[in-house]
Amino acid sequence: MPELPEVETTRRGIAPALTGATFRQATIRQPRLRWAVPADLSSQIANQKVVCVARRGKYLLLVLEHGSVILHLGMSGSLRVVPDNEPPQPHDHVDLQFEASDGRCQILRLRDPRRFGAILWHTGPAHAHPLLSGLGPEPFDPAFDADYLRERLRGRRTAIKSALMDQGLVVGVGNIYASEALFHAGIRPSRAAGRLSRTDCQRLVTAVQQTLEAAMAAGGSTLRDFTQADGAPGYFQHAHQVYGRDGAPCQRCGTPIRHRRHGQRSTFWCPVCQPR
Ligand SMILES: [Zn+2]
């Protein structure tokens, strides 16, 4: 599943082609994504210039002159810029055709085999959209600091890992990076969120930022895939410290990594490196 580093890498991958370009039309082959693709998407975007390609949490925003296209990659979505005459493959559900300033026509193509992704239109500032208005700060926003975290976690009995994945607290920390950040902070995932000290909160803020930064740095090498016709951008397979390593030795202390399932989600931790 694409998490924030993949979404940010996608943004960096598609932004150079799209910024300053003008949309011509949308082709919708399959409107039934997580939410229905607006039937009037084509007329909404036609002849509008792309001001910038932004990101809020795991939402990509194509900011046009009079509104925004809001994109979400869901469980299996990916975006690529392909030539205008590139035939669609199965699961290529939506094309947004645009003309660059040099007159060349290209397509921003959404592929999404599992169809949990979304492509929506919002007239006016995107941050006012109901999907975005309740989101917490970005993990790299200075507002996301130890004092903020401690204040927001105060009195909460829920496990810190679940709290960290609450997009109203901070955006973009999914299952993988919550496990990884807690390992780096030395905090057990099941610990009651309200019991974290200020030092714990400081460690966790730093760990969240460093974990995401490292993943984005690793993703930089896949940027070229976003403009290759046949290069399906793979989600980052980069080395995790705990995630997916059930029973394998901790890379820091050698103790077998523990694993627990809660519903659909798996949590991984080292019982020695994350003692409290
Ligand atoms: Zn360990």
Side-chain angles (χ1 to χ4, degrees):
M1 185 189 312
E3 295 216 33
L4 185 139
E6 285 90 348
V7 178
E8 175 60 19
T9 301
T10 299
R11 188 191 71 75
R12 294 176 190 175
I14 64 173
L18 281 160
T19 308
T22 304
F23 277 119
R24 289 301 171 223
Q25 60 175 1
T27 304
I28 303 165
R29 292 182 204 87
Q30 169 56 276
R32 293 195 318 260
L33 302 184
R34 178 164 182 185
W35 298 289
V37 180
D40 63 350
L41 182 65
S42 197
S43 60
Q44 292 286 8
I45 67 168
N47 303 316
Q48 285 205 62
K49 211 171 225 166
V50 182
V51 177
C52 65
V53 182
R55 179 188 57 74
R56 184 73 177 99
K58 284 167 58 169
Y59 293 95
L60 280 166
L61 309 173
L62 310 178
V63 181
L64 311 188
E65 294 159 289
H66 305 294
S68 296
V69 177
I70 301 174
L71 279 152
H72 196 282
L73 300 177
M75 309 279 285
S76 62
S78 61
L79 284 168
R80 282 171 311 141
V81 174
V82 298
D84 201 24
N85 57 359
E86 176 79 18
Q89 303 296 315
H91 313 298
D92 284 346
H93 301 314
V94 181
D95 283 353
L96 304 183
Q97 189 197 47
F98 62 93
E99 188 179 324
S101 43
D102 63 3
R104 193 159 58 119
C105 276
Q106 288 180 295
I107 286 169
L108 178 67
R109 181 164 281 172
L110 174 67
R111 178 175 296 180
D112 188 2
R114 296 185 65 184
R115 292 199 273 120
F116 282 103
I119 179 162
L120 300 167
W121 170 255
H122 183 71
T123 306
H127 61 78
H129 191 280
L131 286 171
L132 305 185
S133 60
L135 295 178
E138 290 286 327
F140 296 104
D141 187 327
F144 178 61
D145 64 8
D147 291 331
Y148 167 81
L149 192 57
R150 184 126 196 257
E151 181 57 36
R152 288 293 306 268
L153 296 179
R154 199 181 297 271
R156 286 178 71 170
R157 291 181 174 188
T158 167
I160 181 59
K161 179 166 173 262
S162 313
L164 204 51
M165 292 171 63
D166 169 4
Q167 302 297 296
L169 178 76
V170 59
V171 298
V173 183
N175 198 35
I176 296 174
Y177 296 106
S179 282
E180 292 294 297
L182 286 164
F183 172 78
H184 288 290
I187 298 165
R188 197 159 286 202
S190 57
R191 185 138 170 240
R195 311 247 348 224
L196 265 65
S197 67
R198 194 184 177 284
T199 307
D200 290 331
C201 289
Q202 184 56 62
R203 282 197 190 119
L204 191 51
V205 166
T206 305
V208 164
Q209 292 171 340
Q210 287 178 348
T211 307
L212 293 171
E213 238 161 44
M216 283 189 271
S221 60
T222 66
L223 276 181
R224 59 192 161 77
D225 293 343
F226 291 95
T227 49
Q228 274 182 352
D230 54 349
Y235 302 136
F236 303 165
Q237 299 294 320
H238 96 118
H240 299 304
Q241 296 280 333
V242 288
Y243 187 83
R245 300 191 67 244
D246 183 20
C250 171
Q251 289 169 357
R252 193 179 288 166
C253 74
T255 305
I257 297 297
R258 302 275 298 270
H259 168 244
R260 184 174 294 157
R261 274 189 87 84
H262 290 283
Q264 295 276 63
R265 291 212 168 89
S266 290
T267 296
F268 300 88
W269 75 98
C270 172
V272 173
C273 295
Q274 294 165 266
R276 46 179 210 288

Short mmCIF file of all heavy atoms in Angstrom, two decimals, residues 206-237:
data_model
loop_
_atom_site.label_atom_id
_atom_site.label_comp_id
_atom_site.label_asym_id
_atom_site.label_seq_id
_atom_site.Cartn_x
_atom_site.Cartn_y
_atom_site.Cartn_z
N THR A 206 11.04 12.87 16.31
CA THR A 206 12.28 12.74 15.54
C THR A 206 12.28 11.44 14.75
O THR A 206 12.66 11.42 13.56
CB THR A 206 13.49 12.79 16.50
OG1 THR A 206 13.41 14.00 17.25
CG2 THR A 206 14.80 12.76 15.74
N ALA A 207 11.83 10.36 15.39
CA ALA A 207 11.84 9.05 14.73
C ALA A 207 10.88 9.01 13.54
O ALA A 207 11.20 8.45 12.49
CB ALA A 207 11.48 7.95 15.74
N VAL A 208 9.71 9.62 13.70
CA VAL A 208 8.74 9.67 12.58
C VAL A 208 9.37 10.40 11.40
O VAL A 208 9.33 9.94 10.26
CB VAL A 208 7.42 10.38 13.03
CG1 VAL A 208 6.59 10.80 11.82
CG2 VAL A 208 6.61 9.48 13.95
N GLN A 209 9.98 11.55 11.69
CA GLN A 209 10.56 12.36 10.60
C GLN A 209 11.72 11.64 9.93
O GLN A 209 11.81 11.60 8.70
CB GLN A 209 11.00 13.72 11.15
CG GLN A 209 9.79 14.56 11.57
CD GLN A 209 10.16 15.83 12.32
OE1 GLN A 209 11.26 15.94 12.85
NE2 GLN A 209 9.24 16.77 12.38
N GLN A 210 12.58 11.02 10.74
CA GLN A 210 13.76 10.37 10.15
C GLN A 210 13.36 9.12 9.35
O GLN A 210 13.95 8.84 8.31
CB GLN A 210 14.76 10.00 11.25
CG GLN A 210 15.47 11.25 11.77
CD GLN A 210 16.44 10.95 12.90
OE1 GLN A 210 16.44 9.87 13.46
NE2 GLN A 210 17.26 11.93 13.26
N THR A 211 12.36 8.40 9.85
CA THR A 211 11.92 7.19 9.15
C THR A 211 11.33 7.55 7.78
O THR A 211 11.64 6.91 6.77
CB THR A 211 10.86 6.45 10.00
OG1 THR A 211 11.40 6.23 11.29
CG2 THR A 211 10.48 5.13 9.40
N LEU A 212 10.49 8.59 7.76
CA LEU A 212 9.88 9.00 6.49
C LEU A 212 10.93 9.58 5.54
O LEU A 212 10.91 9.30 4.34
CB LEU A 212 8.78 10.03 6.75
CG LEU A 212 7.53 9.49 7.49
CD1 LEU A 212 6.61 10.64 7.89
CD2 LEU A 212 6.77 8.48 6.63
N GLU A 213 11.86 10.35 6.11
CA GLU A 213 12.91 10.95 5.29
C GLU A 213 13.76 9.88 4.61
O GLU A 213 14.09 9.98 3.44
CB GLU A 213 13.81 11.82 6.16
CG GLU A 213 13.88 13.26 5.71
CD GLU A 213 14.39 14.16 6.84
OE1 GLU A 213 15.35 13.76 7.52
OE2 GLU A 213 13.80 15.24 7.02
N ALA A 214 14.13 8.85 5.39
CA ALA A 214 14.97 7.78 4.86
C ALA A 214 14.24 7.05 3.72
O ALA A 214 14.84 6.72 2.70
CB ALA A 214 15.35 6.80 5.97
N ALA A 215 12.92 6.83 3.90
CA ALA A 215 12.15 6.14 2.86
C ALA A 215 12.07 6.99 1.60
O ALA A 215 12.17 6.48 0.48
CB ALA A 215 10.76 5.81 3.37
N MET A 216 11.92 8.31 1.78
CA MET A 216 11.84 9.19 0.60
C MET A 216 13.18 9.26 -0.11
O MET A 216 13.24 9.29 -1.34
CB MET A 216 11.36 10.59 1.00
CG MET A 216 9.88 10.60 1.25
SD MET A 216 9.24 12.26 1.47
CE MET A 216 9.44 12.46 3.20
N ALA A 217 14.26 9.26 0.66
CA ALA A 217 15.60 9.27 0.06
C ALA A 217 15.79 7.99 -0.77
O ALA A 217 16.32 8.03 -1.88
CB ALA A 217 16.66 9.38 1.13
N ALA A 218 15.33 6.86 -0.24
CA ALA A 218 15.44 5.60 -0.97
C ALA A 218 14.58 5.63 -2.23
O ALA A 218 14.93 5.04 -3.25
CB ALA A 218 15.02 4.43 -0.08
N GLY A 219 13.44 6.33 -2.15
CA GLY A 219 12.52 6.40 -3.28
C GLY A 219 13.00 7.28 -4.41
O GLY A 219 12.51 7.18 -5.53
N GLY A 220 13.95 8.14 -4.12
CA GLY A 220 14.44 9.05 -5.15
C GLY A 220 14.94 8.31 -6.37
O GLY A 220 14.81 8.78 -7.49
N SER A 221 15.48 7.12 -6.15
CA SER A 221 16.05 6.36 -7.26
C SER A 221 14.97 5.79 -8.18
O SER A 221 15.27 5.33 -9.28
CB SER A 221 16.92 5.22 -6.72
OG SER A 221 16.14 4.37 -5.92
N THR A 222 13.71 5.79 -7.76
CA THR A 222 12.64 5.25 -8.60
C THR A 222 11.92 6.34 -9.39
O THR A 222 10.98 6.07 -10.10
CB THR A 222 11.58 4.48 -7.77
OG1 THR A 222 10.90 5.42 -6.94
CG2 THR A 222 12.20 3.40 -6.92
N LEU A 223 12.38 7.59 -9.24
CA LEU A 223 11.67 8.71 -9.87
C LEU A 223 11.49 8.54 -11.37
O LEU A 223 10.45 8.87 -11.91
CB LEU A 223 12.42 10.01 -9.61
CG LEU A 223 12.13 10.68 -8.28
CD1 LEU A 223 12.91 11.98 -8.17
CD2 LEU A 223 10.64 10.97 -8.12
N ARG A 224 12.50 8.00 -12.04
CA ARG A 224 12.42 7.88 -13.50
C ARG A 224 11.24 7.02 -13.94
O ARG A 224 10.73 7.18 -15.02
CB ARG A 224 13.73 7.31 -14.05
CG ARG A 224 14.04 5.96 -13.49
CD ARG A 224 15.47 5.51 -13.81
NE ARG A 224 15.89 4.45 -12.92
CZ ARG A 224 15.52 3.19 -13.01
NH1 ARG A 224 14.71 2.83 -13.98
NH2 ARG A 224 15.91 2.29 -12.14
N ASP A 225 10.80 6.09 -13.06
CA ASP A 225 9.68 5.22 -13.42
C ASP A 225 8.40 5.98 -13.73
O ASP A 225 7.53 5.48 -14.41
CB ASP A 225 9.39 4.23 -12.28
CG ASP A 225 10.53 3.23 -12.11
OD1 ASP A 225 11.35 3.12 -13.04
OD2 ASP A 225 10.59 2.59 -11.06
N PHE A 226 8.26 7.18 -13.21
CA PHE A 226 7.00 7.88 -13.38
C PHE A 226 6.79 8.41 -14.78
O PHE A 226 5.69 8.79 -15.15
CB PHE A 226 6.88 9.01 -12.35
CG PHE A 226 6.73 8.47 -10.97
CD1 PHE A 226 7.83 8.33 -10.15
CD2 PHE A 226 5.50 8.05 -10.51
CE1 PHE A 226 7.70 7.79 -8.89
CE2 PHE A 226 5.36 7.51 -9.25
CZ PHE A 226 6.45 7.37 -8.43
N THR A 227 7.84 8.44 -15.57
CA THR A 227 7.65 8.89 -16.94
C THR A 227 7.96 7.78 -17.94
O THR A 227 8.03 8.00 -19.12
CB THR A 227 8.52 10.13 -17.24
OG1 THR A 227 9.85 9.86 -16.81
CG2 THR A 227 7.99 11.34 -16.50
N GLN A 228 8.13 6.57 -17.45
CA GLN A 228 8.36 5.45 -18.37
C GLN A 228 7.05 4.72 -18.61
O GLN A 228 6.33 4.39 -17.67
CB GLN A 228 9.37 4.47 -17.77
CG GLN A 228 10.80 4.86 -18.08
CD GLN A 228 11.78 3.86 -17.53
OE1 GLN A 228 11.39 2.95 -16.81
NE2 GLN A 228 13.03 4.02 -17.88
N ALA A 229 6.80 4.45 -19.87
CA ALA A 229 5.53 3.85 -20.24
C ALA A 229 5.33 2.49 -19.58
O ALA A 229 4.25 2.16 -19.11
CB ALA A 229 5.45 3.69 -21.75
N ASP A 230 6.37 1.70 -19.55
CA ASP A 230 6.21 0.33 -19.07
C ASP A 230 6.72 0.15 -17.63
O ASP A 230 6.61 -0.92 -17.07
CB ASP A 230 6.96 -0.65 -19.99
CG ASP A 230 8.42 -0.24 -20.17
OD1 ASP A 230 8.77 0.88 -19.75
OD2 ASP A 230 9.18 -1.03 -20.72
N GLY A 231 7.28 1.18 -17.08
CA GLY A 231 7.86 1.03 -15.74
C GLY A 231 6.82 1.27 -14.65
O GLY A 231 6.61 2.38 -14.23
N ALA A 232 6.17 0.20 -14.22
CA ALA A 232 5.21 0.35 -13.14
C ALA A 232 5.98 0.73 -11.88
O ALA A 232 6.87 0.01 -11.47
CB ALA A 232 4.46 -0.96 -12.92
N PRO A 233 5.67 1.89 -11.31
CA PRO A 233 6.44 2.30 -10.13
C PRO A 233 6.16 1.37 -8.95
O PRO A 233 5.06 1.33 -8.44
CB PRO A 233 5.97 3.72 -9.85
CG PRO A 233 4.68 3.87 -10.57
CD PRO A 233 4.64 2.83 -11.66
N GLY A 234 7.14 0.60 -8.57
CA GLY A 234 6.96 -0.32 -7.45
C GLY A 234 6.96 0.45 -6.15
O GLY A 234 7.62 1.46 -6.04
N TYR A 235 6.19 0.00 -5.19
CA TYR A 235 6.25 0.63 -3.89
C TYR A 235 7.57 0.24 -3.26
O TYR A 235 8.16 -0.77 -3.59
CB TYR A 235 5.06 0.19 -3.04
CG TYR A 235 3.76 0.54 -3.71
CD1 TYR A 235 2.71 -0.35 -3.75
CD2 TYR A 235 3.61 1.78 -4.34
CE1 TYR A 235 1.53 -0.03 -4.40
CE2 TYR A 235 2.45 2.10 -4.99
CZ TYR A 235 1.41 1.20 -5.02
OH TYR A 235 0.25 1.53 -5.65
N PHE A 236 8.03 1.08 -2.36
CA PHE A 236 9.39 0.92 -1.85
C PHE A 236 9.55 -0.42 -1.13
O PHE A 236 8.80 -0.76 -0.24
CB PHE A 236 9.74 2.05 -0.90
CG PHE A 236 9.60 3.41 -1.52
CD1 PHE A 236 9.57 4.54 -0.75
CD2 PHE A 236 9.50 3.55 -2.90
CE1 PHE A 236 9.44 5.79 -1.32
CE2 PHE A 236 9.37 4.80 -3.48
CZ PHE A 236 9.34 5.92 -2.67
N GLN A 237 10.57 -1.12 -1.54
CA GLN A 237 10.85 -2.41 -0.92
C GLN A 237 12.07 -2.24 -0.02
O GLN A 237 12.85 -3.14 0.16
CB GLN A 237 11.16 -3.46 -2.01
CG GLN A 237 10.01 -3.69 -2.95
CD GLN A 237 8.82 -4.32 -2.26
OE1 GLN A 237 8.99 -5.19 -1.42
NE2 GLN A 237 7.62 -3.85 -2.56
#
